[in-house]
Amino acid sequence: MQHNEKSKLLGDSSGDTYYAPIDKNVDSLLHKAGRSASFAALGGTQSLGTFQFKEPPQVHGLPKSYSVSADGSPSYLTPTQMGRQELYQLMPFTAIFGLQSRERAISKAFASYAAELDADQEGLSGEERTSRMSRASMVILDELEFDANVVTIPLVCAIIVATTSQFLVGYNTGVMNPPVNVVFPGHSTLSWSMAVAAFAVGGPFGAIVGGQMADQRGRRGALLIGTWTFLLGGLLQTFALDMFTIILARFVIGFASGFSSVLVPIYLGELAPPTMRGQLGTVTQFAMVIGILAADLIAFPFAKEGKWRMLFGFTPLMALLQLILAPFLLESPRWLLGRDPKSLKARYILKRLRGLRYDHEVETELGHLLVGGAAQQQEQTSTIGVLKDMMSQPRVRTLLLSSFALQAAQQFSGINAVFYYSNSFFEGVIDNPLVGTSIVAGVNVLATYVALLVMDRFGRKTLILSSATGMLLSCIWIVASLLGYFSNVMALVAVNAYVSFFEIGLGPIPWLIVAEMFEGKYVATAMSTSSQLNWACNFIVGFVFPYMNKYLGPFSFVPFAIVLLATLIFAITILPETAGSSPEQMAKEMTRTFSESVVYQANPESASQIDIEWRKAMEQLQQEEAMERKHGNFDYGFTAIKNEE
């Protein structure tokens, strides 16, 4: 049978064939692997198709169709595994709300590419080729997305414990809103503004230190440090002697919040397979907005004179619960592999997280982590160097400046003025301001769910335009209601509309475009600098709005309306569409990238048989952890994590 010189034919026991990309100067040895006919077309997970170099490759600069073992030797990849590796390289190791669309686009692109390659053989009629491509594409797409449905108990437990930190971020965003009139009555506007804004002062410092500690102490160890910081700040706030102590406590809690906002998405992104990172981003977003709602609901019995300390006491209580559950926090396998590619602990943890049964499956997954990590590693060591590199490229520069503009617009749109001060804002508007505040927080949760539904259906630019327009009209509506043109109830409706429009665009999109549009090596720097700018703008809004409300009265939302109008003009005239490449464009790029790959298919019997020794090593690690807990030596964040080998 004839074939294109850039591909080789893979066979199987059922008679189906698959064309894989290959360098025309390299002869590949082809072996048939017996497997289920349902996986025949593309060499599913039950086959051991291979993509291999002539010489063992280095991790850095690997072509995208290769993986490596811990010793640096080539790993064997089926077409499905090759697609999974593509996901590892193109999906950032961060859990971000809305990232599911990028994951699906990459999966569809690879499935389309592989199916077209499989059907690219002479002798097939147009109808046969179309039918074969459709069937093959469905098979490989199902396999690529299969692990998104495999959720293990260790992974669920780690997610719950880690996202508690994001819940506390949301809780402490809203907790100062309800008790404004009962905490040390008679406090000045300045002291309360400083207490609220101190949260945003501590945030950027926590974000900087959090990134450093994540590398030095490990993701798990750094998360526990953040939990201890929440505990300390919560206790200071609960037993505060005066407003100065409240301000100090808010700074400490803000530090912990910035710490956690950086660490939790990274931790969950490195724990989960790439097909789950968008879903976990959704979990962290919901944890935060539910935290804001919880602060308002708990305030009903406790936002009173003599009881407000119990409202603040919820933070150290949740932090203490996190510390009790700390054994469920598994260390990031990626971090362990970065310290030692031969780490037994990384293999043990990955096997538990993924629910894998065999050592060769674990080794393949570890290879994906190594190659994906190498593809996304920054070459420059300094943030300034990376930023200069980004600014020197016109397209990347446009995206970076657009990201900064959207981060500023997100905060200067005034959203946190609502979550920080809505109780003060609703005074005189409705009988019980806390009811209005709670309604807004509840609508915020519902709007987050709606945003999840519309995220994949519209372009990012379209969502920004819709969000800015809706928020702008809502601001006009709010001002008109406060001036008496509409009833007070309509002011409450307008605020809820304002929050809802925020959640479908200006809320998630500024973060999402960083993960979707920048190359992997730029994501960390773009995310870090965007976070710093976001916290700085957050501080300005938190500090200034009480004075705006005091001196501008009904017109307090006018400055936010001006920012939204500027955002709308920016989105129309300058902002590029940032929805990312289509699956068709990605498939063409994959064809170009894989055109010089080498293919080799081996028998399943050639897989290494070290299950017994491997199992013994894992059992030894389990016994060591059990003994550490028994003797009180288990690491709860006090000591640096040591190399376990």
Side-chain angles (χ1 to χ4, degrees), residues 412-430:
F412 288 147
S413 69
I415 189 64
N416 276 326
V418 174
F419 295 130
Y420 289 158
Y421 298 111
S422 61
N423 250 45
S424 300
F425 176 78
F426 284 134
E427 284 186 2
V429 177
I430 58 177

Side-chain angles (χ1 to χ4, degrees), residues 92-94 96 207-208 211 215 262 266 376-391 396 399-401 403-404 407 510-511 513-515 518-534:
F93 285 92
T94 308
I96 299 177
I208 294 172
D215 293 333
V262 169
I266 292 175
Q376 298 186 28
Q377 185 174 351
Q378 294 177 184
E379 296 179 2
Q380 294 93 342
T381 57
S382 69
T383 300
I384 299 298
V386 180
L387 286 174
K388 287 182 178 179
D389 184 21
M390 296 173 75
M391 292 297 289
V396 178
L399 290 173
L400 182 63
L401 295 178
S403 175
F404 290 164
Q407 293 292 340
W511 300 110
I513 66 169
V514 175
F518 290 104
E519 293 181 45
K521 62 182 180 179
Y522 295 141
V523 169
T525 298
M527 193 73 73
S528 174
T529 51
S530 296
S531 177
Q532 298 301 312
L533 178 61
N534 191 282

Side-chain angles (χ1 to χ4, degrees), residues 51-53 55-57 66-69 71-76:
F51 296 78
Q52 185 182 30
F53 277 131
E55 298 178 359
Y66 296 89
S67 185
V68 292
S69 301
D71 61 0
S73 62
S75 179
Y76 303 136

Side-chain angles (χ1 to χ4, degrees), residues 6 25 85 96 172 186 217 282 388 474 482 496 505 533 547:
K6 288 189 177 180
N25 296 320
Q85 186 179 99
I96 299 177
N172 285 282
R217 299 286 300 273
T282 301
K388 287 182 178 179
S474 298
L482 295 177
N496 282 289
L533 178 61
Y547 295 97

Side-chain angles (χ1 to χ4, degrees), residues 223-289:
L223 276 171
L224 290 174
I225 292 174
T227 303
W228 283 107
T229 309
F230 268 122
L231 180 62
L232 174 61
L235 290 174
L236 279 174
Q237 192 170 15
T238 303
F239 298 104
L241 301 176
D242 49 30
M243 283 301 299
F244 176 79
T245 313
I246 293 285
I247 294 171
L248 177 61
R250 288 286 293 175
F251 175 84
V252 175
I253 291 174
F255 183 93
S257 296
F259 204 94
S260 299
S261 295
V262 169
L263 280 169
V264 173
I266 292 175
Y267 175 72
L268 295 180
E270 293 184 352
L271 244 60
T275 49
M276 287 188 63
R277 290 171 195 165
Q279 297 177 32
L280 293 185
T282 301
V283 170
T284 59
Q285 181 69 14
F286 270 104
M288 190 160 63
V289 297

Side-chain angles (χ1 to χ4, degrees), residues 84-209:
R84 282 179 54 78
Q85 186 179 99
E86 187 73 6
L87 281 166
Y88 268 96
Q89 293 183 86
L90 297 180
M91 290 286 288
F93 285 92
T94 308
I96 299 177
F97 181 62
L99 202 58
Q100 298 97 314
S101 58
R102 178 167 175 79
E103 173 268 313
R104 281 193 287 270
I106 296 171
S107 297
K108 288 179 181 178
F110 185 83
S112 175
Y113 156 75
E116 185 173 355
L117 197 63
D118 178 61
D120 187 19
Q121 50 185 293
E122 297 181 9
L124 291 179
S125 66
E127 183 177 347
E128 290 174 334
R129 189 176 189 279
T130 301
S131 175
R132 185 181 182 91
M133 283 182 61
S134 176
R135 180 169 62 91
S137 179
M138 290 179 61
V139 168
I140 198 166
L141 188 60
D142 286 345
E143 288 196 12
L144 286 174
E145 296 184 348
F146 176 75
D147 63 344
N149 300 316
V150 179
V151 182
T152 63
I153 292 178
L155 179 59
V156 171
C157 292
I159 291 170
I160 292 173
V161 178
T163 52
T164 302
S165 293
Q166 287 299 92
F167 173 87
L168 286 176
V169 173
Y171 185 85
N172 285 282
T173 296
V175 75
M176 294 293 284
N177 195 352
V180 58
N181 295 322
V182 298
V183 177
F184 299 118
H187 59 255
S188 66
T189 301
L190 176 61
S191 64
W192 193 260
S193 298
M194 290 180 64
V196 172
F199 178 79
V201 175
F205 289 102
I208 294 172
V209 176

